[in-house]
Amino acid sequence: MGSQGGFYQSKEFLDLVKSIGEARSKAEEDRIVLNEIETLKRRISEPDIPKRKMKEYIIRLVYIEMLGHDASFGYIHAVKMTHDDSLLVKRTGYLAVTLFLNEDHDLIILIVNTIQKDLKSDNYLVVCAALNAVCKLINEETIPAVLPQVMELLAHPKEAVRKKAIMALHRFYQKSPSSVSHLVSNFRKRLCDNDPGVMGATLCPLFELIARDVNSYKDLVISFVSILKQVAERRLSKAYDYHQMPAPFIQIKLLKILALLGSGDKQASENMYTVVGDIFRKCDSSSNIGNAVLYECICCVSSIYPNPKLLESAADVISRFLKSDSHNLKYMGIDALGRLIKISPEIAEQHQLAVIDCLEDPDDTLKRKTFELLYKMTKSTNVEVIVDRMIDYMISINDNHYKTEIASRCVELAEQFAPSNQWFIQTMNRVFEHAGDLVNIKVAHNLMRLIAEGFGEDDDNADSKLRSSAVESYLRILGEPKLPSVFLQVICWVLGEYGTADGMFSASDITGKLCDVAEAYSNDETLKAYATTALMKIYAFEIAARRKVDMLPECQSLMEELLASHSTDLQQRAYELQAVIGLDAHAVECIMPSDASCEDVEVDRDLSFLNDYIQEAIEKGAQPYIPESERSGMLNISNFRNQDHHEASSHGLRFEAYELPKPAVQSRIPQTLVASTEIVPVPEPMYPRESYQTTMPSIPSDAGSAELKLRLEGVQKKWGRPTYTPATSTSNSTSQKTVNGTSQGDGASTVSSMRETYDSRKPQVEVSHEKQKLAASLFGGSSKTEKRPATGHKAGKASSHMVEKSHVPKSSMEVASEKAAPAQQPPDLLDLGEPTATSTALQLDPFKQLEGLLDTTEVASAVNGAPAASRSPDIMALYADTAAGIHNENDADLLSGLSNPSVTNMPGTTAMPQVTQSSSKGPNPKDSLEKDALVRQMGVNPSSQNPNLFKDLLG
C-alpha cells in the first residue's frame, strides 16, 4: 500500500482528496477526477488484487460518485465484495452497494441470495449490515424473498438487530403495505421491548399506521402517555440524553402520535393533559432542542381537545418565542400562533405589536410566515388593511411562484369578506394589474362566475350595482397601455355580458373598445376570441331589444379579417357573428338570452328529440340501431385492455405459484366449413379474433401463369399486436377552494397594555403613532367573525357529455391451404402487413393425401369433431392420450382436468388423437404428422421424462 496515511488509507488516496480540495475551478476538479477514473479502470481490472487494495479502490469510487461523476464500471466489484467472508470487506461492500445502486438496478438480483445468507449469520454485525442493505435495496418484488428472515430477527438477542429489523419492516410497509399488512401486530409487541432504542424505532411505523387509521389504535393512548411520562421523568439511561434533554426525539415522536389520537376525542385528550403540562413546566428553553420539544407541545395542544390551562401555558411559550432576538424562534412563534388562533383567537391580540414587527422585519421568510398568520386572522373588520398590505408586498417581490400564491389569497379574502362592491372590484383590478399573467386562470374564471352570480344573496339590486361598477371600472382601465392577457379576457367577458345592461353605455361605445382590444393584441388568438364573442353578445342583445344595429367600420374590418383567419376557431366565431346579425329578434332572443350564463343546461341523454326522425327513417327502409351488447361477431374491447394490464404487470419477479392452464376459447368456425375441401383452420392462440367467414371464389386453373405476387394468406402473424388502442379518458380536474375563517371572542386591550405585554424585559420604547394605528386596524374593532356566505351557484347542473365508443371490428386471419405456384417464393414473416382475405379453392382433396398415414377412425374423428379442430393449440394436449394407461384414479383425474373440457378421457377407453396443423405453412403435411406421432410416442409418461417441466406446467 505504500506509506500509510491517516484512517488506514494510502497516501495516494489522501493526496487525491487534498488535490480536489485545493482545486481552484470546476474544470481543474473535473480533470483530476477524470484522471483518477482512468487510473481506477486500469487497476481494478488487474487480476489477484489484494482485499485491502480493492477496499480502497471501492472507497475511491464512492468518493468519485459523491463528486457527481460516473463510476458504474466498478459497481460489479462492490457487489462481489458483499460475498467476501471478511467482515470489514463485506461491510465495505454493503456500504458501497447501498450508495451505488437503487432498488430497481439490474445488479440487485445478484445480492438477494447473499442478503438471505447473511441474515442467518451468527455474527450480529453481518446481520446488521445485511439489514441496512435490505432497507435500501429491496424492492416490492423481492420483499417475499427476505420477509421470513426479517420476521425471525425480531426476536434476536441483540437489541441493534431487533431495531434494524423493525426499520426493515417499516420500509416494507412503505413500499408495499399489502405485503406486511398481516404483520402490523408485531409493531405493537415491540412497543413493549426492554430496549428504549427498539421502542423508539417502533414509534415511526406506528405513527404512519395511526395517521391512516386512528380509531384502530385508540387503545394505545394509555401506553403512549405512560412511556412519555417515564421519558420526561428521566427514567431512561443517560445515553439517550441530548443537550441534557431526556430522549428529546422520542418525546417529539410521542407528542406527534398523541396529537393524532387526541384530535376531536375528549376522553383520550384528558389522559394527555397531565403529561403535556409537566413537559411545559420542566422543559428547558435555553437550548434549541428544548424549544423544539416545546413547539411540538404547542402543536399537540392545538390538535387535541382544548384545555384552558394548557392553552395558557402555550401562550406563555409563544410570548417567549416572539420576544426572542432569534429569527428562528420568531418564526416558530408566528407558526405556533397561527395554530392557536383557530382555538383561541384572543391570543393573537396579546401579541399584536410583535406581529407588526415581524411584518416589517427585513427577513423575507419571517415576513411571509407573518402574512400566513394574517391570512388566518382575517375578518370583515380588518380585511381591507390585510389585503392592501398583501398586495403591496406582492408588488415589491420578484418571486413569481409566491406572487401567484398571494394573488390567490387576496382574491379569496376579497370574495369572503368584501365590505363593499366598489372595494371588491378595485381590489381585483389591482391584483390582476400587478400579478399579470401569473394569476391562475381559475382565479379569472371564479371572478367571472362571481360577477355573474352575485354574492349569493337574493338582492338583485346589489348584484346589478356590482356589475355596473365592474363595467365602469373596466372601461376606464382599458385606456392603460399594457394589461395582462388574463385580465383582458375577464374585461371582454364582462363587457359582453353586462356592458349595455344598465343603459349607461351605448353599444357603439362598448363595441369600439372591444375592437380596439382585438386590434392592439392581434397576436393573442384567445383574447381575440373573447372579444369576438363579446361583440356577438352585444349585437344579439341589441337585436333582441329591437334596437337598430349599426356596425362600426372597425368592427366590420375586424369581422372581415377573422373570416379569412387561419385559425378555425376565430373563423367560426366570425361566421357565427355574421349569422346572428342576420336573424330576427325572436330567434336571437331564443338562442342568446340575456344574463343566462348561469342558467341550467338540460342534457337529454337519450336524444329523445331524434325519435321522430329515426321512426321516419326506419319506415323508409333504414336499418334499426343494434345495441353493442346484442351485436354478433363483435369482440369485446375489454379483452385487449385486460391483456395490456396483464402484460404490464407480468414483467418482474413473481414468487407465487403459477396458475392452472385455462381451457382454450372455442372457435366460431361453422361445421360446414370444416367439412369442406379445405384444411381445418387453427385459430391464433394468443390473440382472440373474430371468425370472419367469406365465400371462397373459384380460381381458374391457369392462375399460376398470372403475375407472381407474395401470398400471405394463411401465414400466421408473428410480430405486432392487435391494431386496437384503447381510448384514454381524461378526467376534468376540479378546483378546490379553502374557506378560512376564525371566530374571535370579545375583548381588546388598550395600546399601553399591549406594549407592556409585548416586552416586559426590554427598555420601554415609545411606539410610533403609525404602528399603533396599524395594530388598531388589524386587531381592533369588532372581534366577531363576519364571514360573507360562500358564493352560491344558481342551481348549476354539471353538463354531462355522452361519448360514443366505437368498436372497430378486427378481421381475423383465415387459414386456408391452396395449391402452391411453381415459382412461388416462401412467405416473408417480417412483412407486418395485414393478410388478405382471399383464398384459392383446392384442386385436390387434402384428406386424400393423408390416407395411409392415419386410421380411418382417426380421420373421422378429426373431421367430425369440431372442438378438436377449433380449440387453440395446447401443450397438454400432447399428453391427453396417456390417460388410458394410467392406473391411478387420482392421476387420471388430474390429467383429465388439465385437458380440454370438451374431450374427456376415461380409464379403459381409447383417446381420440387430434389432427392439428399449424396456421403457418409447413413444408409437407406428411412430415408434420410424422413429427406429431413421434411426439406422442415420446410423451407416454411426461413426468418421468422431464419432471421439472411437468411441475412448471402444473403450477
Side-chain angles (χ1 to χ4, degrees):
M1 291 290 293
S3 59
Q4 296 295 315
F7 305 106
Y8 302 101
Q9 303 300 330
S10 66
K11 185 175 182 301
E12 184 180 0
F13 176 59
L14 297 179
D15 290 341
L16 170 67
V17 177
K18 182 180 178 181
S19 61
I20 290 178
E22 294 175 351
R24 297 184 177 182
S25 65
K26 186 67 169 64
E28 184 179 354
E29 177 187 307
D30 291 342
R31 180 180 56 80
I32 296 172
V33 173
L34 291 176
N35 290 336
E36 177 68 14
I37 289 175
E38 294 299 324
T39 303
L40 288 176
K41 280 184 179 180
R42 184 177 66 255
R43 292 184 179 180
I44 210 168
S45 60
E46 295 176 356
D48 301 330
I49 302 177
K51 293 181 180 180
R52 190 172 182 180
K53 277 192 175 183
M54 179 58 73
K55 182 171 72 70
E56 182 181 326
Y57 293 159
I58 294 299
I59 293 176
R60 288 158 76 168
L61 288 175
V62 172
Y63 187 54
I64 288 172
E65 286 259 337
M66 288 170 57
L67 296 174
H69 293 263
D70 180 37
S72 57
F73 62 90
Y75 289 177
I76 188 63
H77 298 281
V79 172
K80 291 179 181 178
M81 288 182 67
T82 62
H83 305 161
D84 200 276
D85 296 332
S86 172
L87 176 61
L88 186 59
V89 174
K90 180 184 286 290
R91 295 186 67 182
T92 304
Y94 272 126
L95 173 64
V97 165
T98 54
L99 295 174
F100 286 153
L101 308 182
N102 57 61
E103 61 183 24
D104 297 322
H105 199 278
D106 295 338
L107 294 177
I108 295 297
I109 195 64
L110 299 179
I111 64 172
V112 172
N113 288 336
T114 306
I115 291 176
Q116 288 178 324
K117 183 186 69 174
D118 291 340
L119 288 177
K120 299 178 181 179
S121 174
D122 295 333
N123 190 336
Y124 79 96
L125 294 176
V126 174
V127 177
C128 289
L131 286 172
N132 288 336
V134 164
C135 294
K136 293 278 188 178
L137 303 178
I138 296 300
N139 53 28
E140 185 177 353
E141 296 176 350
T142 51
I143 285 176
V146 298
L147 183 58
Q149 290 92 329
V150 174
M151 289 300 302
E152 293 175 1
L153 294 176
L154 291 176
H156 198 276
K158 283 289 185 179
E159 60 276 0
V161 176
R162 297 199 302 271
K163 178 180 177 180
K164 291 184 181 295
I166 289 290
M167 296 169 61
L169 279 182
H170 183 201
R171 188 63 173 164
F172 293 164
Y173 177 77
Q174 291 176 333
K175 290 180 178 297
S176 176
S178 59
S179 63
V180 294
S181 58
H182 59 291
L183 304 174
V184 293
S185 59
N186 290 276
F187 295 134
R188 287 173 173 261
K189 297 176 183 178
R190 292 300 102 193
L191 191 63
C192 305
D193 196 284
N194 295 329
D195 184 72
V198 179
M199 179 272 298
T202 309
L203 295 177
C204 297
L206 281 176
F207 175 75
E208 292 190 12
L209 291 169
I210 293 172
R212 294 194 178 189
D213 185 10
V214 176
N215 295 327
S216 299
Y217 297 89
K218 291 284 187 180
D219 57 320
L220 292 179
V221 172
I222 303 299
S223 301
F224 288 130
V225 170
S226 175
I227 295 173
L228 181 58
K229 185 178 181 181
Q230 295 179 51
V231 173
E233 293 176 354
R234 298 180 179 273
R235 296 189 184 179
L236 298 187
S237 170
K238 287 283 186 181
Y240 293 96
D241 287 2
Y242 180 76
H243 287 268
Q244 299 180 355
M245 278 292 297
F249 301 105
I250 294 180
Q251 289 191 55
I252 290 174
K253 185 61 71 173
L254 284 169
L255 288 169
K256 288 179 179 290
I257 292 175
L258 292 179
L260 293 175
L261 293 173
S263 178
D265 191 338
K266 184 177 181 181
Q267 183 178 359
S269 299
E270 288 175 350
N271 297 321
M272 310 173 189
Y273 291 157
T274 304
V275 65
V276 176
D278 291 342
I279 295 176
F280 270 126
R281 288 190 301 271
K282 296 178 181 180
C283 196
D284 181 20
S285 60
S286 61
S287 61
N288 284 336
I289 192 63
N291 290 325
V293 175
L294 287 173
Y295 171 77
E296 202 59 50
C297 286
I298 297 175
C299 296
C300 180
V301 169
S302 65
S303 298
I304 64 177
Y305 195 83
N307 178 266
K309 292 184 179 179
L310 291 181
L311 289 175
E312 184 179 351
S313 301
D316 293 340
V317 174
I318 290 175
S319 178
R320 294 203 300 268
F321 286 167
L322 292 176
K323 293 173 183 177
S324 172
D325 295 330
S326 170
H327 284 83
N328 293 333
L329 291 182
K330 284 185 178 180
Y331 185 93
M332 289 172 57
I334 292 293
D335 183 78
L337 189 59
R339 294 174 182 271
L340 283 190
I341 61 173
K342 300 176 183 178
I343 304 172
S344 180
E346 63 273 6
I347 294 179
E349 297 179 2
Q350 303 172 12
H351 309 287
Q352 47 188 310
L353 292 181
V355 173
I356 298 299
D357 285 346
C358 293
L359 195 61
E360 298 174 353
D361 196 280
D363 188 345
D364 200 55
T365 305
L366 182 59
K367 189 181 294 186
R368 292 185 182 186
K369 197 65 180 179
T370 309
F371 274 117
E372 291 182 13
L373 173 64
L374 296 178
Y375 170 74
K376 298 175 183 177
M377 293 169 48
T378 304
K379 51 188 177 181
S380 58
T381 57
N382 59 9
V383 63
E384 298 180 54
V385 179
I386 292 177
V387 172
D388 287 345
R389 280 273 180 159
M390 294 174 72
I391 294 178
D392 291 340
Y393 178 67
M394 180 184 68
I395 297 174
S396 65
I397 61 176
N398 296 322
D399 185 353
N400 291 339
H401 175 75
Y402 197 62
K403 265 190 175 182
T404 304
E405 185 177 350
I406 291 185
S408 301
R409 289 182 173 180
C410 290
V411 171
E412 185 179 340
L413 294 177
E415 289 178 0
Q416 293 178 13
F417 306 106
S420 65
N421 297 335
Q422 187 73 19
W423 179 87
F424 174 76
I425 296 298
Q426 291 177 356
T427 301
M428 298 305 298
N429 293 348
R430 287 186 66 192
V431 170
F432 277 104
E433 284 181 33
H434 298 292
D437 292 326
L438 298 174
V439 178
N440 194 334
I441 190 65
K442 294 179 182 179
V443 175
H445 292 165
N446 289 337
L447 175 59
M448 291 186 283
R449 175 180 53 79
L450 188 65
I451 295 175
E453 296 178 352
F455 282 109
E457 301 171 354
D458 295 332
D459 189 358
D460 293 337
N461 189 24
D463 293 343
S464 347
K465 288 183 179 179
L466 169 67
R467 294 159 186 163
S468 300
S469 176
V471 170
E472 184 178 356
S473 63
Y474 289 160
L475 286 175
R476 184 175 62 254
I477 290 174
L478 281 178
E480 297 186 7
K482 183 65 177 176
L483 292 172
S485 176
V486 177
F487 190 27
L488 287 171
Q489 293 173 18
V490 175
I491 291 176
C492 290
W493 186 87
V494 172
L495 293 180
E497 286 283 342
Y498 308 107
T500 59
D502 56 357
M504 292 179 58
F505 304 97
S506 64
S508 58
D509 295 339
I510 304 295
T511 54
K513 292 283 187 180
L514 292 173
C515 291
D516 293 342
V517 170
E519 183 179 357
Y521 300 88
S522 57
N523 295 329
D524 191 342
E525 292 188 357
T526 303
L527 182 57
K528 290 174 74 174
Y530 269 88
T532 306
T533 303
L535 288 173
M536 182 166 55
K537 290 179 183 178
I538 291 174
Y539 286 133
F541 296 155
E542 291 294 302
I543 295 173
R546 290 170 174 78
R547 290 192 287 264
K548 184 179 180 182
V549 176
D550 294 329
M551 183 172 287
L552 298 177
E554 52 264 33
C555 295
Q556 185 67 37
S557 61
L558 174 64
M559 190 169 68
E560 292 176 357
E561 175 190 347
L562 297 181
L563 288 173
S565 173
H566 293 290
S567 171
T568 55
D569 177 55
L570 294 177
Q571 195 177 102
Q572 179 179 347
R573 291 173 190 261
Y575 275 109
E576 290 175 355
L577 172 59
Q578 191 178 45
V580 166
I581 294 176
L583 296 177
D584 59 0
H586 179 70
V588 171
E589 190 175 2
C590 292
I591 63 174
M592 296 194 70
S594 177
D595 192 18
S597 58
C598 297
E599 295 297 327
D600 297 341
V601 178
E602 297 182 0
V603 178
D604 187 0
R605 294 176 177 270
D606 298 329
L607 305 179
S608 58
F609 58 89
L610 293 176
N611 288 343
D612 296 338
Y613 172 78
I614 293 173
Q615 187 64 30
E616 181 181 354
I618 291 177
E619 291 175 356
K620 293 181 180 180
Q623 293 294 328
Y625 174 76
I626 302 176
E628 181 183 347
S629 58
E630 300 178 6
R631 301 175 193 172
S632 60
M634 291 295 294
L635 285 177
N636 189 359
I637 63 172
S638 63
N639 293 340
F640 294 106
R641 291 196 183 102
N642 294 338
Q643 180 180 335
D644 293 340
H645 176 72
H646 173 71
E647 290 188 1
S649 62
S650 62
H651 294 293
L653 298 178
R654 297 179 59 190
F655 293 91
E656 65 272 14
Y658 291 107
E659 297 178 358
L660 291 176
K662 298 178 180 179
V665 180
Q666 298 294 332
S667 175
R668 299 180 184 175
I669 300 177
Q671 190 169 356
T672 55
L673 184 61
V674 178
S676 65
T677 59
E678 299 177 355
I679 292 180
V680 178
V682 177
E684 192 174 343
M686 288 302 296
Y687 305 108
R689 299 180 180 176
E690 176 192 2
S691 298
Y692 188 73
Q693 180 180 359
T694 56
T695 304
M696 303 299 178
S698 178
I699 304 295
S701 59
D702 58 348
S705 60
E707 182 181 356
L708 293 179
K709 294 182 179 179
L710 182 62
R711 306 193 179 198
L712 295 178
E713 54 269 19
V715 177
Q716 185 178 2
K717 192 172 180 181
K718 295 296 182 185
W719 291 274
R721 297 277 306 280
T723 56
Y724 175 77
T725 303
T728 57
S729 62
T730 58
S731 60
N732 297 327
S733 59
T734 59
S735 62
Q736 180 180 1
K737 183 173 74 173
T738 306
V739 179
N740 292 288
T742 60
S743 145
Q744 299 190 0
D746 294 335
S749 57
T750 61
V751 176
S752 59
S753 63
M754 296 173 197
R755 289 199 300 269
E756 293 174 1
T757 305
Y758 169 51
D759 195 348
S760 58
R761 296 181 299 176
K762 295 184 179 178
Q764 296 296 329
V765 181
E766 184 78 21
V767 181
S768 64
H769 179 67
E770 289 186 3
K771 191 173 294 186
Q772 295 180 17
K773 186 177 179 180
L774 179 60
S777 302
L778 290 175
F779 301 94
S782 174
S783 59
K784 274 193 173 184
T785 302
E786 300 174 5
K787 182 186 293 187
R788 189 177 293 272
T791 307
H793 297 274
K794 294 184 178 180
K797 297 181 180 178
S799 303
S800 60
H801 305 278
M802 296 182 61
V803 181
E804 180 182 354
K805 295 182 178 180
S806 59
H807 295 270
V808 182
K810 305 284 189 300
S811 61
S812 64
M813 188 187 305
E814 293 185 3
V815 183
S817 176
E818 64 178 357
K819 182 177 180 181
Q824 182 178 354
Q825 297 179 357
D828 184 6
L829 294 180
L830 290 177
D831 189 348
L832 301 182
E834 290 294 330
T836 58
T838 61
S839 63
T840 29
L842 295 177
Q843 300 297 327
L844 298 177
D845 188 352
F847 287 99
K848 293 187 178 296
Q849 302 178 17
L850 306 181
E851 293 180 357
L853 296 178
L854 294 175
D855 189 80
T856 55
T857 59
E858 296 177 350
V859 176
S861 64
V863 175
N864 297 329
S870 60
R871 67 190 185 99
S872 300
D874 189 1
I875 273 187
M876 295 307 298
L878 297 175
Y879 310 117
D881 58 341
T882 62
I886 296 176
H887 301 287
N888 191 342
E889 292 182 0
N890 296 330
D891 296 341
D893 293 339
L894 176 61
L895 285 180
S896 63
L898 290 174
S899 61
N900 195 311
S902 61
V903 181
T904 305
N905 296 324
M906 299 297 293
T909 62
T910 304
M912 294 290 185
Q914 301 171 3
V915 181
T916 59
Q917 183 171 340
S918 173
S919 57
S920 61
K921 291 185 177 182
N924 194 340
K926 181 175 179 180
D927 295 340
S928 299
L929 289 173
E930 289 177 354
K931 293 179 180 178
D932 184 73
L934 180 59
V935 171
R936 293 178 183 276
Q937 293 175 7
M938 294 176 63
V940 175
N941 190 357
S943 61
S944 63
Q945 297 294 332
N946 194 344
N948 293 330
L949 173 62
F950 196 60
K951 290 178 182 177
D952 291 341
L953 292 173
L954 291 179

